[in-house]
Amino acid sequence: MTGVIEEVRPLEGFVLEAVFTGGEIRHYDCRALIERYSAFRAMEQDPEIFLHPRIESGGYGVVWTDELDVASEEIWDNGMAVIR
């Protein structure tokens, strides 16, 4: 079940915390994106980029720049569930 992202915040170590509809929380390690896609290496070169994520219209992803985004499905499927 993939939900809509309602909140997002950057954590240390290029980890993104996403809160989905219904309150489910996932921690997604963006280092995999940095290693896999050259465009994401901009975050290593300028970590300030990572600190300013925005929720894509409709909550179906997270966006940093025109070139850097990640789908909510990716965060849901590959993020670690957080129990609080």
Side-chain angles (χ1 to χ4, degrees):
M1 171 189 132
T2 302
V4 172
I5 297 173
E6 294 185 340
E7 295 177 43
V8 65
R9 65 182 74 69
L11 304 176
E12 289 186 32
F14 293 106
V15 174
L16 194 66
E17 181 174 86
V19 180
F20 287 81
T21 303
E24 294 94 347
I25 301 170
R26 293 280 196 275
H27 282 182
Y28 181 79
D29 189 345
C30 292
R31 288 177 295 194
L33 297 174
I34 292 168
E35 292 170 7
R36 194 175 315 143
Y37 303 106
S38 60
F40 278 90
R41 292 191 191 119
M43 289 183 177
E44 272 187 325
Q45 296 165 355
D46 183 3
E48 187 72 18
I49 294 169
F50 178 74
L51 298 177
H52 301 285
R54 300 179 317 276
I55 299 171
E56 188 175 89
S57 179
Y60 295 105
V62 175
V63 177
W64 289 272
T65 70
D66 289 342
E67 294 83 30
L68 304 177
D69 59 45
V70 62
S72 60
E73 184 174 297
E74 168 69 13
I75 296 170
W76 182 269
D77 291 345
N78 295 303
M80 293 186 57
V82 176
I83 313 249
R84 293 197 177 167

